[in-house]
Amino acid sequence: MDRLSNTVRPYAWGSTTAIPDLLGTAPTGEPQAEMWMGAHPGAPSRLGRGSLADVIAADPVRELGAATVARFGPHLPFLLKILAAGAPLSLQVHPDLAQAKQGFAAEQRAGIPVDAPHRNYKDANHKPELICALTPFEGLCGFRAPLDAAELLAGLGIDSLKPYADLLHAHPEDAALREVLTAVLSADREEMAATVDEAAAAAQRLGGEYTPYAQLAHHFPGDPGVIAAMLLNRVRLQPGEALFLGAGVPHAYLSGLGIEIMANSDNVLRCGLTPKHVDVPELLRVVRFEAGDPGVLRPEASETGEELYDTPIDEFRLSRYLLAPEASPADLTAAAPQILLCTSGSVAASAGSGETSPAETAGPGEPDATTLTPGESVFIPAGENIQVRAAHNKPAALFRATVAI
């Protein structure tokens, strides 16, 4: 196994304390938004043999396994993150695989540099993702039922919002949602800014279910994304609960610390709540106008102690182990590559023969065991025998990211 050294991204919306608190380090005073674990070219993890991207490129079959390479090519198909939202993220969607390939190719033909701030498609991959809460976590995800959104807008008592509320009563529902979102994002900016300011004042006065929108307007005054956000479901996750986001699902994370896993992509289409590039026409082309419950996921436990977050995606598979001090080591040997991340306590990870009894497994502090503390991670090549257990006679939590093959 290889211990990983990971990059922390200082995006403006990041918490200044959540990731340092997890790692047990002193805050720098700067936002620390995401810690990336993987081989994405934007910030590949490093290990003793070089960057993870270079190590995989040198021998993909050895590191990823033949089945992963045959299915996804010679690249690690997932990216794992610790995400710490101290302020709202942008209102955004991700493309499906066909849209990503088409968009990437078009921008390549247009000669737009991959790192250009106005570029939409940084790669040719889709970006389905899963967020699992480590602390209470709040976000917006998927469209509300149009009548519920109409009631929320009408409750503000603002004349300029009444036409949108009326439109949401039209049928079919998908057409109503499309028409309202398009109208909000395409409205005259000065007129919409005045509406947002009026809505923010009403939301602040009303409180309760309107509180998140007052907070959004505080961070992004006059932004039409504040009104667009009211079309979405408000979701509150407790630690251990998760949310899956497929292609075309509009969403924005508001606050909290979580583990995020996604297909290895950085494709984001934004329509508001951000100083970054916004492309309303492209977002409207990609977004899926489907109302419904976003569906909170809870892990499904197995006899082996693994708690799986079940998703319809093969590029990644996320599970959790809650390790008790008295329990036998858990065997995590797999034919696919893995990243293991400790989030509480201490975890002793050791290489095994595949035939070693629990009593013979290396313990914490022994030469062939690696002890992980919160925020520390390791990369396990495909086929490597690996066993884990709680160290120092205290409970521990470990997340396991791998490929569903």
Side-chain angles (χ1 to χ4, degrees), residues 10 71 174 196 204 218 284 289 301 334 341 352 385:
R71 179 73 186 277
D174 58 344
V196 171
Q204 183 68 39
H218 171 74
L284 292 173
F289 291 93
L341 168 66
N385 296 306

Side-chain angles (χ1 to χ4, degrees), residues 238-261:
Q238 294 305 309
E241 294 181 334
L243 193 64
F244 173 74
L245 299 104
V249 177
H251 62 280
Y253 299 146
L254 302 181
S255 64
L257 180 70
I259 303 299
E260 187 179 36
I261 189 168

